[in-house]
């Protein structure tokens, strides 16, 4: 017995010493590596030390305190969510559950609006960078980055006014953009379909983009139209790129509304010509669903929003103005993006974001169903709900075709963004299922099941491609010296489960996720770790 105890003591002493002397913190063995380059996968081991990948190769005899057997699994760089609305949800719950469980390790904010610059001293930050630092200090599991929002800049200087800035105001707007770029913002984000962003003309956007171009930042835009004026709106983006000398990307590229589905090929050809003939650096991102999600206010003309929320509600309550609004919603126009007509029927509009306790039972129903229950017309119902809830109500609109979704996935310059928040299954009201399934849906439905593109290409479009477009250094690839943002998943089982009726369902098939070398997901379970960092634009 004495010898057994001595042997045990010696064994644990040697094991402890080996752990202390281990050259690596983590070794991932026996997996198939998809390194983010888009090239064919290969078998190798990966060693991590601190925040970095330090060795890729045969590590059969290497030691580390943590060894993960990735047999039968794919090992990839952490996925980049190019369009995330998780800033507020991460303030409430920094675990980023719905995205971590899909392998997302970087959330990118800033579609038109951003969390700074904000005037005044009533909040805990003023600049965009101060917000990102506040968020990571509070603790988040993913890395975070952001564009500075052109809407936020415009509101800072002009409020909700429907007019062009004068020269002094434009100088102030340029100054705010420059400060954000100096702090490492990725570029300028616009959302031109919505007021007050809708009020900005092309020349204003060119002037702000010229500042961003000095830093090799990106102009990224929710186009002025994805429907009737889809092609003309792409022309505007190309003009901004050309005149400002700036790289440009389209947020969630789509042809919205059945009458516009055929325009997608023309748009792709237009962008290809700009890339090849003119040498413009144009790219796009998308989500993997046929339904969009935004505010119910998207069915209303933009002029109704001038002056802000209170002015908007007052107009909706005014009987004469209300008649005019109803008439304009029913009338097809190229002057603004009418989501009511684009959806084709109120049966294709699902209400998701009612907050008033007397109205919440309508969440998940179509606008047609609610109108029938209330015995009012669908447009009148939408206006009444807006007044009663006194806020911008969330809605899902079925606007796109699955054929076009597949066509877009195949585009060489396409990356991916959820256009949603990142939630725990207990957070929030009804949401679009893309918040829980966008990336897993690509890998399961479109890559494995329907074989739209190979797995290595899909991973490239979620990692190295967006990292290059965003000018993010040392991320997006499995490469020695790069940050250890890593996802380990089963290509045979990864899939999305979220539906429009029941969106709060996590994806499955992701086993392990590392962020900056720290394990955040272990055997599909969140570890509670929050090692996320602010990611700023880099020249690397």
């Amino acid at each position: 017995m004495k010898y057994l105890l001595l042997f045990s003591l010696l064994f644990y002493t040697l094991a402890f010493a080996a752990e202390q002397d281990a050259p690596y913190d983590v070794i991932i063995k026996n997996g198939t590596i998809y390194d983010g380059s888009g090239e064919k996968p290969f078998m190798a081991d990966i060693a991590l030390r601190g925040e970095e990948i330090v060795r890729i190769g045969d590590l059969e005899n290497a030691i580390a305190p943590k060894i993960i057997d990735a047999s039968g699994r794919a090992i990839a760089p952490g996925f980049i969510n190019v369009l995330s609305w998780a800033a507020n949800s991460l303030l409430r719950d920094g675990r980023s559950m719905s995205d971590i469980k899909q392998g997302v390790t970087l959330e990118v904010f800033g579609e038109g609006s951003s969390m700074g610059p904000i005037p005044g001293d009533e909040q805990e930050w003023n600049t965009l960078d101060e917000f990102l630092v506040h968020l990571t200090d509070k603790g988040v599991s993913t890395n975070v980055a952001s564009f500075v929002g052109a809407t936020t800049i415009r509101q800072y200087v002009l409020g909700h006014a429907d007019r062009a800035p004068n020269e002094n105001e434009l100088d102030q707007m340029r100054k705010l953009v420059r400060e954000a770029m100096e702090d490492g913002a990725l570029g300028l984000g616009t959302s031109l379909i919505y007021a007050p962003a809708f009020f900005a003309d092309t020349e204003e956007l060119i002037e702000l983009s010229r500042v961003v171009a000095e830093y090799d930042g990106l102009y990224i835009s929710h186009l002025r139209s994805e429907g009737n004026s889809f092609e003309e709106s792409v022309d505007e983006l190309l003009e901004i790129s050309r005149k400002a000398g700036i790289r440009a990307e389209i947020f969630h590229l789509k042809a919205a509304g059945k009458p516009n589905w055929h325009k997608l090929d023309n748009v792709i050809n237009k962008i290809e010509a700009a890339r090849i003939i003119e040498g413009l650096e144009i790219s796009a991102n998308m989500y993997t669903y046929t339904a969009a999600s935004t505010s119910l206010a998207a069915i209303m003309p933009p002029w109704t929003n001038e002056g802000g929320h209170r002015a908007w509600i007052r107009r909706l309550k005014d009987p004469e103005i209300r008649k005019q609004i109803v008439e304009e919603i029913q009338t097809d126009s190229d002057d603004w993006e009418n989501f009511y007509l684009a959806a084709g029927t109120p049966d294709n509009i699902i209400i998701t974001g009612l907050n008033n306790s007397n109205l919440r039972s309508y969440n998940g129903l179509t606008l047609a169903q609610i109108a029938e229950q209330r015995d009012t017309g669908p447009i009148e119902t939408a206006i009444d709900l807006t007044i009663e809830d006194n806020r911008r109500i969330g809605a899902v609109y079925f606007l796109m075709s699955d054929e076009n979704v597949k066509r877009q996935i195949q585009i060489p310059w396409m990356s991916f963004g959820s256009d949603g928040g990142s939630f725990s299954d207990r957070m929030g009201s009804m949401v679009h299922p893309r918040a829980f399934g966008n990336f897993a849906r690509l890998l399961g439905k479109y890559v494995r099941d329907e074989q739209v593109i190979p797995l290595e290409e899909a991973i490239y479009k979620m990692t190295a491609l967006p990292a290059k477009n965003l000018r993010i250094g040392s991320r997006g690839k499995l490469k020695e010296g790069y940050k250890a943002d890593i996802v380990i998943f089963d290509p045979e089982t990864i899939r999305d489960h979220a539906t429009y009726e029941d969106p709060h369902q996590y994806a499955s098939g992701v086993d392990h996720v590392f962020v900056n070398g720290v394990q955040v997901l272990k055997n599909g379970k969140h570890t509670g770790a929050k090692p996320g960092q602010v990611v700023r634009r880099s020249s690397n």
Side-chain angles (χ1 to χ4, degrees), residues 233-251:
S233 296
V234 173
D235 287 336
E236 180 184 38
L237 178 124
L238 296 177
E239 181 184 357
I240 292 167
S241 173
R242 195 178 291 120
K243 290 186 176 179
I246 194 169
R247 299 176 300 108
E249 179 158 320
I250 298 170
F251 272 132

Side-chain angles (χ1 to χ4, degrees), residues 4 36 38-39 42 72 87 90-91 100 102 116 136 171 173 197 238 249 253 294 301 303 322 343 374 426 480 507 531:
L4 180 60
E39 300 296 325
F42 57 93
L90 289 177
L91 278 174
I100 279 290
Q102 297 180 77
T136 53
D171 279 343
M173 293 167 75
L238 296 177
E249 179 158 320
L253 179 70
T294 185
W303 62 262
R322 183 180 176 120
R374 293 169 67 102
R426 299 180 301 279
E480 292 177 4

